Amino acid sequence: MVLKYEIYDYTPVLGWSVSRYETFDTCKRRYFYTYYSKYAENVSLYKIKQLKAMTSTALEIGNVVHDIIEAFLLRLQKSDTSIDEDRFFTYARSKAEKYFSTKTFLEIYYGHTEKISLPFVFEKIDTCLKNFLQSPICSWIYMKALTNKTNWMIEPPGYGETRLDGLKAYCKMDFLFPVDGDIYILDWKTGQKDTAKHSSQLIGYAAAAASNFHIPWNTIYPKIVYLYPQFEEFELALTDKDLHDFFAAVRRQTQEMKAYCRESDRNTPLPIDNFPLSPSPSLCSYCNFQELCFPDRKPVKKTPGIDNPGDT
């Protein structure tokens, strides 16, 4: 099977995604700052971009694990010889040190902690990668997926634009590959299991792959691969009803978000006052933009910090 990916011309129309709607549903003001920052009045665009660029410990651990697995798969495409595990984990730690020493962390900026614990970071990354290397998925990739490695899609560039029942959407997949005439999609997770959210992602992956590659959706098998605290797989036996209900939800959620647009075809928002705050102590305390919503919450520290000797 030779895969040819559909490329879509740019349009300004709002595009649905799981993460976009989740942000919209959680807090409309956070949604505005995340997707419409250039339309904010009386707020420095530089400040919004600075806050938006902040990361968190959990997010960066996920980024490191994803990047290391991506490098592993790219290397596997070139050579199926066994890896040197010592070098593999040393490389992962060096990648983590670079990420955690050069970025601004929400936890430090807002005073939740003074330093990011690198021993904790290393332990979680090591556990995730060990669970991956020792998993049946990894063995299966060696035994079956390698037979058509020229058609692997590993962390494809761009945002994963697709069409879902004719609607613009984004579904970015971690790893897609053909085996014996079928398509398999794997999505790595380093955080908590969330079957409701991840079920929607799985259906979206199947629908997006069917649309982008013009193949029957029932030949596509998407799977969530949890890597922490232990290895676990999560997949759905998709039905026509699942797809019908999913498309209906995407259409409804897209219309909900478009209702906050002044011009939906150009994806221009209503004024910021139409995007109310959704105050919640648990959500707001870990929101990048809390400084804008609650000016009395002064940031504590604005520079990266890790518990390494010599860090400043």
Side-chain angles (χ1 to χ4, degrees), residues 190-220:
T190 58
Q192 294 182 341
K193 186 174 182 179
D194 185 338
T195 54
K197 176 181 176 180
H198 297 157
S199 293
S200 183
Q201 281 187 311
L202 290 177
I203 300 171
Y205 290 153
S211 174
N212 284 15
F213 298 111
H214 307 287
I215 54 179
W217 67 264
N218 55 4
T219 64
I220 303 167

Side-chain angles (χ1 to χ4, degrees), residues 150-166:
T150 57
N151 271 306
W152 286 6
M153 295 191 64
I154 306 164
E155 291 279 353
Y159 297 102
E161 184 174 345
T162 187
R163 297 293 180 268
L164 299 177
D165 200 28

Side-chain angles (χ1 to χ4, degrees), residues 13-17 20-21 24-25 28 31 36 164-169 246-265 267-268 270 275:
V13 176
L14 182 152
W16 176 94
S17 73
R20 184 180 186 122
Y21 184 75
F24 173 86
D25 193 46
K28 303 297 185 292
Y31 174 75
Y36 298 116
L164 299 177
D165 200 28
L167 291 176
K168 182 179 179 181
F246 174 74
F247 287 146
V250 170
R251 192 167 294 280
R252 184 189 73 251
Q253 293 170 5
T254 299
Q255 290 306 313
E256 288 179 26
M257 291 187 286
K258 283 186 174 182
Y260 283 77
C261 288
R262 185 175 66 249
E263 296 178 89
S264 61
D265 288 344
N267 194 20
T268 55
L270 295 169
F275 294 77

Side-chain angles (χ1 to χ4, degrees), residues 66 172-175 185-189 198 201-202 205 223-226:
H66 277 74
K172 189 170 174 66
M173 309 162 197
D174 290 339
F175 183 30
I185 299 170
L186 303 182
D187 192 70
W188 321 114
K189 299 294 185 189
H198 297 157
Q201 281 187 311
L202 290 177
Y205 290 153
K223 182 181 296 187
I224 299 292
V225 179
Y226 297 101

Side-chain angles (χ1 to χ4, degrees), residues 16-286:
W16 176 94
S17 73
V18 169
S19 58
R20 184 180 186 122
Y21 184 75
E22 182 180 42
T23 303
F24 173 86
D25 193 46
T26 300
C27 178
K28 303 297 185 292
R29 184 61 59 88
R30 181 178 182 178
Y31 174 75
F32 182 93
Y33 285 135
T34 301
Y35 293 99
Y36 298 116
S37 56
K38 68 180 182 179
Y39 295 99
E41 298 179 356
N42 303 319
V43 181
S44 164
L45 181 58
Y46 174 80
K47 169 60 69 174
I48 297 176
K49 289 182 175 180
Q50 178 191 37
L51 297 176
K52 185 178 179 180
M54 286 196 302
T55 187
S56 67
T57 302
L59 182 60
E60 285 310 305
I61 287 174
N63 286 339
V64 172
V65 171
H66 277 74
D67 288 353
I68 296 300
I69 294 178
E70 177 186 3
F72 169 84
L73 293 172
L74 290 171
R75 185 256 190 200
L76 191 56
Q77 275 189 303
K78 299 176 181 178
S79 171
D80 60 1
T81 58
S82 299
I83 65 169
D84 183 323
E85 290 199 11
D86 288 339
R87 291 181 62 187
F88 179 80
F89 285 101
T90 297
Y91 175 65
R93 290 194 172 202
S94 67
K95 180 77 73 173
E97 286 182 332
K98 179 181 179 181
Y99 284 20
F100 277 79
S101 64
T102 58
K103 299 185 179 183
T104 301
F105 284 79
L106 179 150
E107 299 99 318
I108 295 175
Y109 188 84
Y110 286 116
H112 298 298
T113 185
E114 292 185 358
K115 297 283 185 179
I116 304 298
S117 172
L118 275 187
F120 167 78
V121 169
F122 290 156
E123 185 277 330
K124 185 167 183 179
I125 290 173
D126 284 355
T127 298
C128 289
L129 294 175
K130 286 176 182 176
N131 286 338
F132 167 71
L133 291 176
Q134 297 169 4
S135 70
I137 282 287
C138 189
S139 299
W140 184 65
I141 291 172
Y142 269 101
M143 291 187 296
K144 296 289 290 184
L146 271 175
T147 59
N148 198 353
K149 61 184 180 182
T150 57
N151 271 306
W152 286 6
M153 295 191 64
I154 306 164
E155 291 279 353
Y159 297 102
E161 184 174 345
T162 187
R163 297 293 180 268
L164 299 177
D165 200 28
L167 291 176
K168 182 179 179 181
Y170 296 94
C171 295
K172 189 170 174 66
M173 309 162 197
D174 290 339
F175 183 30
L176 180 149
F177 55 95
V179 174
D180 298 335
D182 294 323
I183 296 292
Y184 291 84
I185 299 170
L186 303 182
D187 192 70
W188 321 114
K189 299 294 185 189
T190 58
Q192 294 182 341
K193 186 174 182 179
D194 185 338
T195 54
K197 176 181 176 180
H198 297 157
S199 293
S200 183
Q201 281 187 311
L202 290 177
I203 300 171
Y205 290 153
S211 174
N212 284 15
F213 298 111
H214 307 287
I215 54 179
W217 67 264
N218 55 4
T219 64
I220 303 167
Y221 299 90
K223 182 181 296 187
I224 299 292
V225 179
Y226 297 101
L227 298 172
Y228 191 87
Q230 63 273 327
F231 174 84
E232 187 176 354
E233 301 175 34
F234 174 58
E235 58 182 326
L236 296 176
L238 301 179
T239 66
D240 288 333
K241 184 178 184 304
D242 291 329
L243 230 60
H244 178 273
D245 292 347
F246 174 74
F247 287 146
V250 170
R251 192 167 294 280
R252 184 189 73 251
Q253 293 170 5
T254 299
Q255 290 306 313
E256 288 179 26
M257 291 187 286
K258 283 186 174 182
Y260 283 77
C261 288
R262 185 175 66 249
E263 296 178 89
S264 61
D265 288 344
R266 300 187 60 81
N267 194 20
T268 55
L270 295 169
I272 189 172
D273 290 344
N274 292 274
F275 294 77
L277 279 67
S278 301
S280 164
S282 59
L283 292 176
C284 293
S285 63
Y286 281 90

